[in-house]
Amino acid sequence: MSNQNYIMEILELKDNNIHFYENCYYKEKMKGFDCKVFEGYLSYQPTHCYKCGTPFDDLFDKHGFITSNIKLPNVSGFKTILRLHKQRYLCKHCNKAFTLKSTLVNFGCFISNNTKWHIAKDLLKKRSEKDIALDNNVSSNTVERVMDSYYDTTRICKNYLPRVLSFDEFKSVKSADGAMSFHLCNDESGKTIDIVEDRRLFSLMKYFSYYSYQSRSRVQFIVIDMYSPYVSLILKMFPNAKIIIDTFHLVQLISRSLNKTRIQLMKKDKKNYNKLKRYWRLLLKDYNDLNFEVWKRFTCFSSLMTESDVVNFILNLSEELKNSYYLYQRLLSAFKSKDKLSFLQILNENHENISDYMKTSLHTLIQFKDFILNTFDNHYHNGFIEGNNNFIKVLKRIAFGFRSFRRFKARIMICKGLISHSKKVNT
Ligand SMILES: [Zn+2]
């Protein structure tokens, strides 16, 4: 292989009209950085005049060179420049000069298409745009421009919705309308379908009205948390869908109210403050999983005890906490064993001397009763969408926040592989 071919291969250049000189490689300091510089020239016979379009003939004269420094992707961690002398021609038909074009760079651009490919590839990773810009020696505006040119961020298919959907929300950017943004996910494949800026009812109604009636009526199950606007939305927009309340949110609802009850008591009972504070996890644990055999020393307690002893001690401090705790445990076991009958029985009973927090939760459970019964019959859950939400949070933290919602959404969709690039990106 000749020198020329080696360089072409190493720098991944595909334009055969670029030729390299004998001593074409040297190092140079540019803006305080050591750069690898490759020097070559671009020359070929043009087919026509770029200014007037006349086909090439004897009236075309070579007219010197123009030099441009073209940014290439880094080689061995060094900034790399191709110093290209481009042949100019003078057309005597129109008396104008023009410069030859190369497939390596777009006309009037100093950033090679290889670098742009590299940026487009980097956009698929969980990285901030600023880091991508630094690594590729370009500005962050260039990264944004590449994102817009390589990925069509506006196109989302509105003709199809899967059989099982799940809804959730997450805190998006400050400039977004509404405090929370809405996240729509396919619950069987776990893939994000779309993200909507505002989760309020009117905005979601408008959004789903873009989908055809056929696609909306195809949806059979929708998993949600206990946010009542979603219920009104589903009843209006999805004629055949059954609402399922996510089990995790059910458990979260009751465990939060038990925790609040404990904290309320903790603030009143200064004597047992530390005990109430330290063993919150044991209270939330399923009663059947508590250890009642192993005797050990617990901090704040003087004698040897088992886990269930600690729980019993704490429960004996307050009647209200005790009743709330037993209600919590019964609900928990009903949710775990998907026991419809005992769940309905708990809701129909008259609960006395339970905390206000627990009463509120019970009221919420009664309000969503019909949908919770659907949960017992089906195995769908919000696991995938919560995982996706976590990914979004990580992406947001890595970027130190996003200013515009459009860009934030585009990044999420690109990283999740939901928007494919419109041009070929080398992988
Ligand atoms: Zn011309």
Side-chain angles (χ1 to χ4, degrees):
M1 223 192 268
S2 68
N3 253 357
Q4 162 88 20
N5 289 356
Y6 272 127
I7 296 170
M8 295 287 276
E9 195 62 32
I10 289 167
L11 298 181
E12 200 61 41
L13 305 178
K14 302 286 181 205
D15 189 350
N16 289 324
N17 298 319
I18 297 174
H19 307 277
F20 289 95
Y21 301 118
E22 193 66 18
N23 296 316
C24 64
Y25 168 71
Y26 48 89
K27 270 193 176 176
E28 197 178 289
K29 243 192 163 61
M30 284 171 105
K31 292 181 185 171
F33 291 100
D34 281 334
C35 289
K36 285 178 183 288
V37 181
F38 293 84
E39 197 164 351
Y41 63 95
L42 175 78
S43 181
Y44 59 92
Q45 198 182 64
T47 51
H48 61 278
C49 166
Y50 295 164
K51 299 283 180 186
C52 66
T54 318
F56 186 82
D57 57 17
D58 294 344
L59 292 174
F60 279 61
D61 279 348
K62 285 188 174 171
H63 196 64
F65 288 91
I66 193 163
T67 306
S68 59
N69 290 333
I70 298 164
K71 282 179 185 170
L72 293 177
N74 289 357
V75 173
S76 282
F78 284 91
K79 290 185 176 186
T80 309
I81 298 287
L82 174 64
R83 185 156 293 154
L84 192 64
H85 306 285
K86 296 177 186 170
Q87 178 77 62
R88 278 172 70 78
Y89 273 91
L90 178 70
C91 163
K92 286 181 181 162
H93 295 282
C94 61
N95 249 340
K96 282 180 181 165
F98 62 90
T99 312
L100 292 182
K101 292 174 186 170
S102 165
T103 52
L104 179 67
V105 279
N106 295 344
F107 182 71
C109 189
F110 292 100
I111 298 164
S112 68
N113 290 334
N114 287 5
T115 308
K116 288 180 185 169
W117 273 336
H118 207 259
I119 294 170
K121 239 163 57 181
D122 275 354
L123 281 168
L124 294 167
K125 298 174 195 159
K126 289 191 284 290
R127 301 189 64 197
S128 73
E129 283 173 22
K130 207 170 176 179
D131 281 350
I132 296 174
L134 268 175
D135 275 8
N136 290 290
N137 314 319
V138 293
S139 67
S140 28
N141 283 343
T142 307
V143 176
E144 291 184 358
R145 268 201 309 278
V146 171
M147 183 155 97
D148 288 340
S149 65
Y150 275 74
Y151 298 95
D152 187 358
T153 53
T154 50
R155 242 187 74 205
I156 298 248
C157 171
K158 293 249 167 67
N159 297 323
Y160 173 77
L161 280 170
R163 204 173 69 90
V164 190
L165 283 176
S166 58
F167 292 176
D168 204 3
E169 60 283 317
F170 62 94
K171 181 90 198 72
S172 71
V173 293
K174 269 186 191 165
S175 62
D177 298 336
M180 302 288 255
S181 293
F182 174 77
H183 187 177
L184 175 68
C185 191
N186 179 346
D187 206 62
E188 283 180 310
S189 69
K191 280 197 169 172
T192 302
I193 297 169
D194 203 358
I195 288 159
V196 188
E197 190 167 348
D198 188 357
R199 72 153 177 180
R200 283 173 293 180
L201 184 61
F202 66 91
S203 129
L204 291 180
M205 291 286 281
K206 191 178 160 196
Y207 171 76
F208 279 109
S209 63
Y210 292 132
Y211 282 91
S212 65
Y213 181 79
Q214 282 83 359
S215 61
R216 279 185 280 125
S217 50
R218 200 180 294 128
V219 180
Q220 290 180 6
F221 298 101
I222 301 178
V223 190
I224 58 169
D225 50 16
M226 277 161 285
Y227 178 64
S228 35
Y230 289 161
V231 177
S232 356
L233 171 78
I234 293 166
L235 293 178
K236 278 181 194 157
M237 303 301 279
F238 296 90
N240 300 325
K242 270 188 180 177
I243 298 175
I244 296 176
I245 307 282
D246 180 44
T247 323
F248 169 77
H249 285 97
L250 289 173
V251 176
Q252 193 186 44
L253 177 79
I254 54 171
S255 59
R256 270 189 187 162
S257 32
L258 182 69
N259 247 339
K260 281 180 186 164
T261 316
R262 181 185 56 82
I263 291 167
Q264 198 183 30
L265 178 67
M266 195 172 89
K267 283 177 183 164
K268 276 186 209 160
D269 191 351
K270 293 291 176 196
K271 193 180 153 202
N272 294 304
Y273 183 93
N274 284 341
K275 290 171 187 163
L276 279 162
K277 185 169 181 166
R278 195 172 186 103
Y279 298 106
W280 62 274
R281 210 186 287 267
L282 287 182
L283 279 188
L284 296 185
K285 209 170 168 182
D286 189 341
Y287 194 79
N288 298 318
D289 295 341
L290 283 178
N291 192 321
F292 56 90
E293 285 170 326
V294 180
W295 293 75
K296 56 180 182 181
R297 197 165 288 286
F298 285 88
T299 321
C300 310
F301 290 96
S302 52
S303 53
L304 288 174
M305 288 173 111
T306 63
E307 279 184 0
S308 56
D309 285 341
V310 174
V311 170
N312 285 333
F313 176 87
I314 292 171
L315 292 183
N316 284 330
L317 292 175
S318 150
E319 201 61 26
E320 196 180 79
L321 180 67
K322 195 186 219 171
N323 291 333
S324 307
Y325 177 78
Y326 285 126
L327 177 61
Y328 164 81
Q329 289 294 343
R330 285 175 66 199
L331 283 170
L332 192 66
S333 91
F335 292 149
K336 271 192 174 174
S337 55
K338 301 201 166 188
D339 188 348
K340 262 189 196 179
L341 284 176
S342 60
F343 173 68
L344 287 174
Q345 199 186 346
I346 295 167
L347 293 194
N348 290 331
E349 276 172 16
N350 197 10
H351 297 277
E352 280 174 3
N353 202 7
I354 56 169
S355 69
D356 291 343
Y357 300 118
M358 217 60 194
K359 272 181 201 161
T360 317
S361 295
L362 209 60
H363 183 74
T364 316
L365 290 178
I366 292 169
Q367 196 187 339
F368 288 92
K369 188 176 75 180
D370 295 342
F371 311 130
I372 296 171
L373 292 179
N374 287 338
T375 313
F376 291 144
D377 292 333
N378 297 286
H379 64 277
Y380 300 114
H381 55 79
N382 255 354
F384 290 123
I385 203 166
E386 295 293 340
N388 290 345
N389 266 353
N390 191 29
F391 176 89
I392 291 171
K393 275 182 199 162
V394 170
L395 193 68
K396 201 170 124 184
R397 296 290 303 163
I398 288 172
F400 292 96
F402 283 81
R403 187 166 289 177
S404 100
F405 178 79
R406 191 183 72 85
R407 211 151 275 293
F408 183 39
K409 177 179 167 180
R411 238 2 252 296
I412 296 166
M413 303 302 254
I414 291 169
C415 283
K416 279 275 168 195
L418 299 168
I419 306 173
S420 53
H421 36 78
S422 43
K423 294 175 189 173
K424 191 177 175 291
V425 178
N426 288 354
T427 43

